[in-house]
Amino acid sequence: MQYTNSLACFINIGLAFLALVLYIAGSYSLYKDKKGYILLLGLAIGIDIATAILASFKITPTTTIPGVDAIPWYSWLFRLHVTFSTIGFAGFIILFLYLVIRDSRKYSKWILQWQFKLLLPIWLIGEGIALSNALTKICFRLRLFELF
């Protein structure tokens, strides 16, 4: 099924952007030892999972471009997106489980720094590529993965 209504396609982008904001807020709150980081990270992960399921099964509208339906494994930009997004998403799930299981007074200091200075930027690069590709598809009817 093809969707041409660009506004409806912004549902996935809005959800992805909301998850992005929650990841940043949760990661920063954890880094600065402020309250609410578990809730923020949990919501971010939940919205991320929901967005992936909704888009993958085409429950929410997505933009399709004729002739570019194949998964672009030939694109180095796509492979970078998949690698960084997977590392970031898996890392945040593992971090979330660590935070829920471990007593907050016993968090390792390196975990607090690692998640903010390394894990978050990796995830932001992967998600930034995906959001840029989605916006380019909607606005210009062009998939970034075809260019790189």
Side-chain angles (χ1 to χ4, degrees):
M1 177 181 289
Q2 288 188 346
Y3 295 95
T4 56
N5 184 348
S6 296
L7 292 178
C9 294
F10 278 103
I11 293 169
N12 290 330
I13 292 173
L15 288 171
F17 187 75
L18 178 59
L20 175 90
V21 170
L22 291 170
Y23 275 117
I24 292 169
S27 181
Y28 182 76
S29 294
L30 176 59
Y31 181 67
K32 291 295 186 179
D33 199 24
K34 296 182 178 181
K35 294 184 183 217
Y37 52 83
I38 290 179
L39 176 64
L40 292 169
L41 291 174
L43 286 171
I45 291 168
I47 290 170
D48 218 0
I49 290 170
T51 303
I53 291 170
L54 292 171
S56 295
F57 291 109
K58 299 197 186 289
I59 296 169
T60 52
T62 57
T63 302
T64 55
I65 300 172
V68 291
D69 291 335
I71 298 172
W73 288 109
Y74 53 84
S75 168
W76 67 266
L77 186 63
F78 179 76
R79 291 191 307 264
L80 183 71
H81 151 66
V82 169
T83 302
F84 278 37
S85 294
T86 302
I87 291 169
F89 186 59
F92 272 112
I93 290 173
I94 293 166
L95 173 68
F96 180 76
L97 293 173
Y98 170 82
L99 297 174
V100 169
I101 294 169
R102 188 92 178 182
D103 181 7
S104 64
R105 291 169 292 177
K106 296 181 181 177
Y107 292 161
S108 299
K109 292 291 182 197
W110 74 269
I111 291 277
L112 303 180
Q113 293 181 353
W114 166 84
Q115 63 85 29
F116 186 71
K117 294 181 178 179
L118 184 64
L119 181 61
L120 182 63
I122 287 172
W123 187 86
L124 288 174
I125 291 168
E127 186 64 16
I129 294 169
L131 284 172
S132 298
N133 183 60
L135 287 169
T136 305
K137 280 173 56 178
I138 291 171
C139 297
F140 304 111
R141 307 289 298 159
L142 175 71
R143 191 162 72 166
L144 282 182
F145 302 138
E146 300 301 321
L147 301 175
F148 302 99

